[in-house]
Protein backbone atom coordinates (compact mmCIF):
# COMPACT_ATOMS: atom_id res chain seq x y z
CA UNK A 1 0.00 0.00 0.00
CA UNK A 2 1.09 3.57 -0.73
CA UNK A 3 0.54 4.89 2.79
CA UNK A 4 1.46 8.49 1.98
CA UNK A 5 -0.97 8.65 -0.93
CA UNK A 6 -3.71 7.25 1.29
CA UNK A 7 -3.14 9.91 3.97
CA UNK A 8 -3.08 12.68 1.34
CA UNK A 9 -6.29 11.55 -0.37
CA UNK A 10 -8.17 11.24 2.92
CA UNK A 11 -7.08 14.78 3.82
CA UNK A 12 -8.23 16.04 0.42
CA UNK A 13 -11.64 14.58 1.18
CA UNK A 14 -11.82 16.47 4.46
CA UNK A 15 -10.79 19.68 2.66
CA UNK A 16 -13.45 19.24 -0.02
CA UNK A 17 -16.11 18.90 2.66
CA UNK A 18 -14.87 22.15 4.23
CA UNK A 19 -13.99 20.28 7.44
CA UNK A 20 -10.21 20.63 7.33
CA UNK A 21 -9.00 22.21 10.56
CA UNK A 22 -6.47 25.02 10.45
CA UNK A 23 -5.17 25.95 13.89
CA UNK A 24 -4.77 29.59 14.82
CA UNK A 25 -1.30 30.06 16.28
CA UNK A 26 -1.45 32.47 19.24
CA UNK A 27 0.41 33.48 22.37
CA UNK A 28 -1.80 34.38 25.30
CA UNK A 29 -0.30 37.06 27.52
CA UNK A 30 -0.66 36.65 31.27
CA UNK A 31 -2.41 39.67 32.74
CA UNK A 32 -3.68 40.81 29.33
CA UNK A 33 -6.02 37.98 28.41
CA UNK A 34 -8.32 37.96 26.30
CA UNK A 35 -5.70 39.90 24.34
CA UNK A 36 -3.17 37.73 22.56
CA UNK A 37 -0.68 37.75 19.70
CA UNK A 38 -1.37 35.79 16.56
CA UNK A 39 1.45 34.37 14.48
CA UNK A 40 0.73 34.23 10.76
CA UNK A 41 3.06 34.10 7.73
CA UNK A 42 6.12 35.37 9.61
CA UNK A 43 4.12 38.29 10.98
CA UNK A 44 2.25 38.96 14.18
CA UNK A 45 -1.15 40.49 14.83
CA UNK A 46 -2.81 41.68 18.04
CA UNK A 47 -6.05 39.75 18.59
CA UNK A 48 -8.90 39.52 21.11
CA UNK A 49 -9.97 35.96 21.87
CA UNK A 50 -13.76 35.46 21.92
CA UNK A 51 -13.92 31.68 21.81
CA UNK A 52 -11.89 30.52 24.81
CA UNK A 53 -13.09 28.03 27.41
CA UNK A 54 -10.95 29.81 30.02
CA UNK A 55 -14.37 31.17 30.94
CA UNK A 56 -13.37 33.24 33.96
CA UNK A 57 -9.81 34.15 33.05
CA UNK A 58 -8.53 31.92 35.87
CA UNK A 59 -5.63 30.86 33.63
CA UNK A 60 -4.00 34.17 34.53
CA UNK A 61 -5.27 34.60 38.09
CA UNK A 62 -2.42 35.69 40.42
CA UNK A 63 -3.25 32.97 43.00
CA UNK A 64 -3.11 30.26 40.33
CA UNK A 65 0.14 31.55 38.83
CA UNK A 66 1.75 31.86 42.25
CA UNK A 67 0.71 28.36 43.32
CA UNK A 68 2.13 26.92 40.11
CA UNK A 69 5.41 28.85 40.39
CA UNK A 70 5.87 27.81 44.01
CA UNK A 71 5.12 24.18 43.33
CA UNK A 72 7.35 24.06 40.25
CA UNK A 73 10.23 25.42 42.33
CA UNK A 74 9.41 23.08 45.19
CA UNK A 75 8.70 19.80 43.31
CA UNK A 76 10.17 20.20 39.82
CA UNK A 77 8.53 19.66 36.45
CA UNK A 78 6.93 16.23 36.16
CA UNK A 79 5.24 13.79 38.55
CA UNK A 80 7.84 11.16 37.72
CA UNK A 81 5.54 8.19 37.42
CA UNK A 82 2.09 6.71 37.36
CA UNK A 83 0.04 7.22 40.50
CA UNK A 84 0.93 3.70 41.66
CA UNK A 85 4.66 3.89 40.96
CA UNK A 86 6.11 6.98 42.70
CA UNK A 87 3.86 9.49 40.85
CA UNK A 88 1.40 10.34 43.63
CA UNK A 89 2.47 13.77 44.77
CA UNK A 90 1.01 15.37 47.88
CA UNK A 91 -0.52 18.06 45.62
CA UNK A 92 -2.60 15.39 43.84
CA UNK A 93 -3.90 14.13 47.17
CA UNK A 94 -4.82 17.64 48.29
CA UNK A 95 -6.54 18.38 44.98
CA UNK A 96 -8.63 15.20 45.16
CA UNK A 97 -9.77 16.16 48.67
CA UNK A 98 -10.66 19.64 47.37
CA UNK A 99 -12.71 18.12 44.52
CA UNK A 100 -14.55 15.65 46.76
CA UNK A 101 -15.46 18.57 49.05
CA UNK A 102 -16.55 20.77 46.10
CA UNK A 103 -19.14 18.17 45.09
CA UNK A 104 -20.08 16.91 48.55
CA UNK A 105 -18.82 13.42 47.70
CA UNK A 106 -16.74 10.98 49.75
CA UNK A 107 -13.99 10.77 47.19
CA UNK A 108 -12.59 12.07 43.90
CA UNK A 109 -10.12 10.80 41.32
CA UNK A 110 -7.88 12.83 39.00
CA UNK A 111 -7.21 12.09 35.32
CA UNK A 112 -4.94 13.80 32.82
CA UNK A 113 -7.94 15.43 31.11
CA UNK A 114 -11.72 15.63 31.16
CA UNK A 115 -11.70 13.51 28.02
CA UNK A 116 -9.79 10.72 29.77
CA UNK A 117 -11.99 10.96 32.87
CA UNK A 118 -15.13 10.36 30.77
CA UNK A 119 -13.52 7.73 28.60
CA UNK A 120 -12.02 5.82 31.53
CA UNK A 121 -14.77 6.48 34.07
CA UNK A 122 -17.74 5.52 31.91
CA UNK A 123 -15.74 2.85 30.10
CA UNK A 124 -14.70 1.11 33.30
CA UNK A 125 -18.11 1.21 34.99
CA UNK A 126 -19.93 -0.03 31.88
CA UNK A 127 -17.37 -2.75 31.10
CA UNK A 128 -16.90 -4.09 34.61
CA UNK A 129 -20.43 -4.17 35.99
CA UNK A 130 -21.87 -7.49 34.74
CA UNK A 131 -24.78 -7.00 32.33
CA UNK A 132 -24.67 -3.20 32.59
CA UNK A 133 -26.71 -1.26 30.00
CA UNK A 134 -25.79 2.37 29.28
CA UNK A 135 -28.35 5.08 28.47
CA UNK A 136 -26.69 8.01 26.73
CA UNK A 137 -28.19 11.44 25.90
CA UNK A 138 -28.21 11.97 22.11
CA UNK A 139 -25.94 15.02 22.34
CA UNK A 140 -23.31 13.64 24.69
CA UNK A 141 -19.69 14.67 24.14
CA UNK A 142 -17.33 12.51 22.06
CA UNK A 143 -15.37 11.50 25.19
CA UNK A 144 -18.47 9.92 26.75
CA UNK A 145 -19.47 8.20 23.50
CA UNK A 146 -15.95 6.77 23.08
CA UNK A 147 -15.91 5.52 26.66
CA UNK A 148 -19.28 3.83 26.25
CA UNK A 149 -18.26 2.23 22.93
CA UNK A 150 -14.94 1.10 24.34
CA UNK A 151 -16.73 -0.68 27.21
CA UNK A 152 -18.57 -2.91 24.68
CA UNK A 153 -21.60 -2.74 26.97
CA UNK A 154 -24.97 -2.52 25.20
CA UNK A 155 -26.19 1.08 25.01
CA UNK A 156 -29.32 3.03 24.13
CA UNK A 157 -29.46 6.66 23.02
CA UNK A 158 -32.31 8.73 24.47
CA UNK A 159 -33.69 11.95 23.03
CA UNK A 160 -31.70 14.99 24.09
CA UNK A 161 -32.86 16.40 27.45
CA UNK A 162 -36.01 14.24 27.35
CA UNK A 163 -36.67 12.45 30.67
CA UNK A 164 -39.86 10.84 29.27
CA UNK A 165 -37.91 9.16 26.48
CA UNK A 166 -35.36 8.02 29.03
CA UNK A 167 -38.15 6.65 31.22
CA UNK A 168 -39.56 4.70 28.27
CA UNK A 169 -36.17 3.19 27.47
CA UNK A 170 -35.36 2.28 31.06
CA UNK A 171 -38.79 0.61 31.35
CA UNK A 172 -37.72 -1.92 28.72
CA UNK A 173 -35.27 -3.41 31.21
CA UNK A 174 -36.14 -5.30 34.38
CA UNK A 175 -35.17 -4.18 37.87
CA UNK A 176 -32.28 -6.66 37.99
CA UNK A 177 -30.47 -5.15 34.99
CA UNK A 178 -27.71 -2.73 36.09
CA UNK A 179 -28.25 0.64 34.39
CA UNK A 180 -25.99 3.65 33.87
CA UNK A 181 -27.49 6.95 32.65
CA UNK A 182 -24.99 9.40 31.14
CA UNK A 183 -25.71 13.05 30.38
CA UNK A 184 -24.31 16.59 30.67
CA UNK A 185 -25.53 19.64 32.55
CA UNK A 186 -24.60 22.53 30.21
CA UNK A 187 -24.30 21.40 26.58
CA UNK A 188 -21.39 23.20 25.01
CA UNK A 189 -22.67 24.01 21.52
CA UNK A 190 -26.27 25.11 22.18
CA UNK A 191 -25.66 26.21 25.77
CA UNK A 192 -28.88 24.53 26.93
CA UNK A 193 -29.15 22.94 30.38
CA UNK A 194 -30.45 19.46 31.24
CA UNK A 195 -33.55 19.04 33.42
CA UNK A 196 -31.38 17.32 36.03
CA UNK A 197 -34.04 16.83 38.74
CA UNK A 198 -36.45 15.16 36.31
CA UNK A 199 -33.70 12.93 34.93
CA UNK A 200 -32.74 11.92 38.47
CA UNK A 201 -36.39 11.15 39.30
CA UNK A 202 -36.43 8.72 36.36
CA UNK A 203 -33.05 7.20 37.34
CA UNK A 204 -34.23 6.63 40.91
CA UNK A 205 -37.54 5.14 39.74
CA UNK A 206 -35.61 2.52 37.75
CA UNK A 207 -32.69 2.00 40.15
CA UNK A 208 -30.23 3.41 37.60
CA UNK A 209 -26.88 5.04 38.36
CA UNK A 210 -26.54 8.63 37.13
CA UNK A 211 -23.35 10.04 35.56
CA UNK A 212 -23.25 13.77 34.83
CA UNK A 213 -20.62 15.70 32.84
CA UNK A 214 -20.44 19.18 34.41
CA UNK A 215 -17.44 20.23 32.35
CA UNK A 216 -19.06 23.47 31.13
CA UNK A 217 -20.53 24.29 34.54
CA UNK A 218 -17.92 23.64 37.24
CA UNK A 219 -16.47 26.88 38.56
CA UNK A 220 -19.29 28.81 36.87
CA UNK A 221 -22.53 27.86 38.63
CA UNK A 222 -23.55 27.18 42.22
CA UNK A 223 -22.57 29.20 45.29
CA UNK A 224 -19.15 27.48 45.41
CA UNK A 225 -18.68 26.74 41.71
CA UNK A 226 -19.83 23.13 42.12
CA UNK A 227 -21.88 23.36 38.91
CA UNK A 228 -25.56 23.29 37.99
CA UNK A 229 -26.17 20.33 40.35
CA UNK A 230 -24.83 22.41 43.24
CA UNK A 231 -26.98 25.39 42.24
CA UNK A 232 -30.06 23.15 42.20
CA UNK A 233 -29.20 21.25 45.37
CA UNK A 234 -28.97 17.92 43.53
CA UNK A 235 -25.36 16.80 44.00
CA UNK A 236 -26.17 14.16 46.61
CA UNK A 237 -28.66 12.45 44.27
CA UNK A 238 -26.09 11.98 41.47
CA UNK A 239 -23.93 8.85 41.43
CA UNK A 240 -20.93 10.29 39.55
CA UNK A 241 -20.08 13.95 38.88
CA UNK A 242 -17.41 14.47 36.23
CA UNK A 243 -15.58 17.72 35.53
CA UNK A 244 -12.56 19.35 33.97
CA UNK A 245 -9.81 21.52 35.42
CA UNK A 246 -9.07 22.91 31.95
CA UNK A 247 -12.02 25.21 31.30
CA UNK A 248 -13.39 27.55 34.01
CA UNK A 249 -10.63 26.49 36.43
CA UNK A 250 -8.11 27.60 33.80
CA UNK A 251 -5.49 24.85 34.16
CA UNK A 252 -5.66 21.22 32.96
CA UNK A 253 -6.88 17.79 34.02
CA UNK A 254 -10.16 15.99 34.64
CA UNK A 255 -11.86 14.15 37.48
CA UNK A 256 -14.76 12.15 38.78
CA UNK A 257 -16.31 12.59 42.23
CA UNK A 258 -18.46 9.85 43.77
CA UNK A 259 -18.73 7.43 46.71
CA UNK A 260 -15.48 6.08 48.19
CA UNK A 261 -16.20 2.59 46.85
CA UNK A 262 -17.05 3.70 43.32
CA UNK A 263 -13.95 5.89 43.09
CA UNK A 264 -11.78 3.10 44.52
CA UNK A 265 -13.30 0.73 41.94
CA UNK A 266 -12.42 3.02 39.00
CA UNK A 267 -8.97 3.68 40.52
CA UNK A 268 -8.37 -0.06 40.67
CA UNK A 269 -9.68 -1.09 37.22
CA UNK A 270 -9.37 1.88 34.80
CA UNK A 271 -6.51 1.27 32.40
CA UNK A 272 -6.51 4.92 31.27
CA UNK A 273 -5.88 5.91 34.87
CA UNK A 274 -3.49 3.20 36.00
CA UNK A 275 -1.03 3.13 33.09
CA UNK A 276 -0.54 6.87 32.55
CA UNK A 277 1.86 9.32 34.19
CA UNK A 278 0.22 11.51 36.83
CA UNK A 279 -0.34 15.22 36.14
CA UNK A 280 2.61 17.51 36.90
CA UNK A 281 2.37 18.56 40.58
CA UNK A 282 2.39 22.24 39.58
CA UNK A 283 -0.73 21.64 37.47
CA UNK A 284 -2.45 20.06 40.47
CA UNK A 285 -1.36 22.94 42.72
CA UNK A 286 -2.65 25.53 40.22
CA UNK A 287 -5.99 23.76 39.83
CA UNK A 288 -6.40 23.48 43.62
CA UNK A 289 -5.68 27.21 44.02
CA UNK A 290 -8.26 28.00 41.34
CA UNK A 291 -10.93 25.78 42.94
CA UNK A 292 -10.25 27.21 46.41
CA UNK A 293 -10.54 30.73 45.10
CA UNK A 294 -13.79 30.07 43.23
CA UNK A 295 -15.30 28.30 46.25
CA UNK A 296 -15.06 31.54 48.20
CA UNK A 297 -15.50 34.17 45.49
CA UNK A 298 -18.64 34.93 43.46
CA UNK A 299 -17.07 37.99 41.89
CA UNK A 300 -15.85 36.22 38.73
CA UNK A 301 -19.13 34.35 38.23
CA UNK A 302 -21.17 37.55 38.60
CA UNK A 303 -18.87 39.52 36.31
CA UNK A 304 -19.10 36.78 33.69
CA UNK A 305 -22.91 36.74 33.81
CA UNK A 306 -22.88 40.52 33.47
CA UNK A 307 -20.65 40.33 30.37
CA UNK A 308 -22.87 37.63 28.87
CA UNK A 309 -25.98 39.77 29.40
CA UNK A 310 -24.19 42.74 27.89
CA UNK A 311 -23.19 40.86 24.71
CA UNK A 312 -26.69 39.38 24.33
CA UNK A 313 -28.32 42.79 24.74
CA UNK A 314 -26.07 44.34 22.09
CA UNK A 315 -26.67 41.45 19.67
CA UNK A 316 -30.41 41.95 20.19
CA UNK A 317 -30.13 45.67 19.46
CA UNK A 318 -28.31 44.91 16.20
CA UNK A 319 -30.71 42.08 15.34
CA UNK A 320 -27.92 39.53 15.07
CA UNK A 321 -29.45 36.08 15.57
CA UNK A 322 -28.22 34.05 18.52
CA UNK A 323 -29.60 31.04 20.32
CA UNK A 324 -31.48 31.96 23.44
CA UNK A 325 -30.34 29.74 26.31
CA UNK A 326 -29.95 29.91 30.10
CA UNK A 327 -26.13 29.59 30.12
CA UNK A 328 -23.00 31.63 29.44
CA UNK A 329 -22.54 30.28 25.90
CA UNK A 330 -23.73 32.55 23.06
CA UNK A 331 -24.10 30.75 19.71
CA UNK A 332 -24.37 33.35 16.92
CA UNK A 333 -26.15 31.50 14.14
CA UNK A 334 -24.89 31.72 10.56
CA UNK A 335 -26.36 28.52 9.09
CA UNK A 336 -23.86 27.99 6.26
CA UNK A 337 -20.40 26.43 6.54
CA UNK A 338 -18.66 28.59 3.95
CA UNK A 339 -20.19 31.85 5.19
CA UNK A 340 -19.33 30.91 8.75
CA UNK A 341 -15.69 30.37 7.82
CA UNK A 342 -15.63 33.56 5.71
CA UNK A 343 -17.05 35.66 8.55
CA UNK A 344 -14.57 34.21 11.00
CA UNK A 345 -11.64 34.95 8.64
CA UNK A 346 -12.90 38.47 8.00
CA UNK A 347 -13.29 39.23 11.72
CA UNK A 348 -9.74 38.05 12.33
CA UNK A 349 -8.06 39.71 9.35
CA UNK A 350 -9.86 43.05 9.55
CA UNK A 351 -10.55 43.47 13.26
CA UNK A 352 -8.27 41.08 15.15
CA UNK A 353 -11.35 39.36 16.55
CA UNK A 354 -10.77 35.65 17.05
CA UNK A 355 -13.93 33.49 16.94
CA UNK A 356 -13.49 29.98 15.60
CA UNK A 357 -16.25 28.89 13.17
CA UNK A 358 -18.17 25.84 14.41
CA UNK A 359 -19.19 23.63 11.50
CA UNK A 360 -20.29 20.05 10.84
CA UNK A 361 -19.64 17.49 12.34
CA UNK A 362 -19.44 19.40 15.64
CA UNK A 363 -22.94 20.81 14.92
CA UNK A 364 -25.61 19.68 12.39
CA UNK A 365 -25.42 21.02 8.81
CA UNK A 366 -27.47 24.22 8.55
CA UNK A 367 -26.74 25.29 12.13
CA UNK A 368 -23.17 26.51 11.58
CA UNK A 369 -22.31 29.17 14.09
CA UNK A 370 -19.84 31.40 15.89
CA UNK A 371 -19.67 30.37 19.54
CA UNK A 372 -19.00 33.42 21.73
CA UNK A 373 -17.81 32.99 25.31
CA UNK A 374 -17.73 36.35 27.12
CA UNK A 375 -15.63 36.40 30.27
CA UNK A 376 -15.01 38.83 33.12
CA UNK A 377 -11.82 39.94 31.37
CA UNK A 378 -13.62 41.23 28.25
CA UNK A 379 -13.97 45.01 28.62
CA UNK A 380 -16.71 47.30 27.26
CA UNK A 381 -14.34 48.31 24.46
CA UNK A 382 -13.85 44.66 23.46
CA UNK A 383 -17.63 44.15 23.36
CA UNK A 384 -18.24 47.32 21.32
CA UNK A 385 -15.57 46.29 18.81
CA UNK A 386 -17.08 42.81 18.48
CA UNK A 387 -20.64 44.03 17.97
CA UNK A 388 -19.68 46.76 15.49
CA UNK A 389 -17.65 44.31 13.42
CA UNK A 390 -20.38 41.65 13.49
CA UNK A 391 -22.97 44.17 12.38
CA UNK A 392 -20.76 45.31 9.50
CA UNK A 393 -20.15 41.78 8.22
CA UNK A 394 -23.84 40.92 8.65
CA UNK A 395 -24.67 43.71 6.21
CA UNK A 396 -21.85 42.79 3.81
CA UNK A 397 -22.96 39.16 3.65
CA UNK A 398 -26.63 40.17 3.52
CA UNK A 399 -27.46 37.84 6.38
CA UNK A 400 -30.92 37.92 7.90
CA UNK A 401 -31.44 39.93 11.10
CA UNK A 402 -33.93 39.32 13.86
CA UNK A 403 -36.57 41.90 14.73
CA UNK A 404 -34.56 44.34 16.83
CA UNK A 405 -35.27 44.76 20.50
CA UNK A 406 -34.43 48.46 20.29
C1 LIG B 1 -14.09 19.72 26.72
C2 LIG B 1 -15.05 18.65 27.13
C3 LIG B 1 -14.62 17.49 27.76
C4 LIG B 1 -13.17 17.15 27.87
O1 LIG B 1 -12.52 17.90 28.84
P1 LIG B 1 -10.96 18.20 28.65
O2 LIG B 1 -10.50 18.50 30.02
O3 LIG B 1 -10.86 19.34 27.70
O4 LIG B 1 -10.33 16.96 28.08
C5 LIG B 1 -15.55 16.61 28.26
N1 LIG B 1 -16.88 16.85 28.15
C6 LIG B 1 -17.34 17.95 27.51
C7 LIG B 1 -18.80 18.16 27.40
C8 LIG B 1 -16.44 18.87 26.96
O5 LIG B 1 -16.90 19.93 26.30
Amino acid sequence: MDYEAYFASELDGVREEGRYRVFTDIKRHRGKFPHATRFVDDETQAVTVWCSNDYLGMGQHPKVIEAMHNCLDECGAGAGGTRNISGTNHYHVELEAELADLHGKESALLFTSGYVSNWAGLGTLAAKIPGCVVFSDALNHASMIEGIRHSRAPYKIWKHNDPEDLDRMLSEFGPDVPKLVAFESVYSMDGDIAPIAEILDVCEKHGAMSYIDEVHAVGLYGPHGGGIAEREGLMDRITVIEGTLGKAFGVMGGYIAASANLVDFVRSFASGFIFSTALPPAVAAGAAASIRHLKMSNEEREAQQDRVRQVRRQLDIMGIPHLDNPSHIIPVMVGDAHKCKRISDWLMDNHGIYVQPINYPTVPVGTERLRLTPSPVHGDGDIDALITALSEIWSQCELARMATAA
Side-chain angles (χ1 to χ4, degrees), residues 113-115 118 141 143 184 188 213 215-216 244 247 253:
S113 71
Y115 188 103
N118 274 334
H141 188 256
S143 55
E184 301 180 22
S188 71
D213 173 320
V215 159
H216 291 280
T244 184
K247 291 174 182 169

Side-chain angles (χ1 to χ4, degrees), residues 176-199:
D176 297 336
V177 177
K179 305 172 190 78
L180 178 57
V181 173
F183 61 109
E184 301 180 22
S185 59
V186 177
Y187 284 82
S188 71
M189 289 303 148
D190 286 352
D192 54 334
I193 296 178
I196 303 176
E198 284 90 335
I199 292 170

Side-chain angles (χ1 to χ4, degrees), residues 14-31:
V14 174
R15 276 192 200 91
E16 270 158 35
E17 289 166 34
R19 295 199 285 119
Y20 185 73
R21 292 184 161 98
V22 180
F23 294 158
T24 300
D25 176 0
I26 61 169
K27 251 186 209 174
R28 295 176 6 129
H29 302 297
R30 178 187 54 77

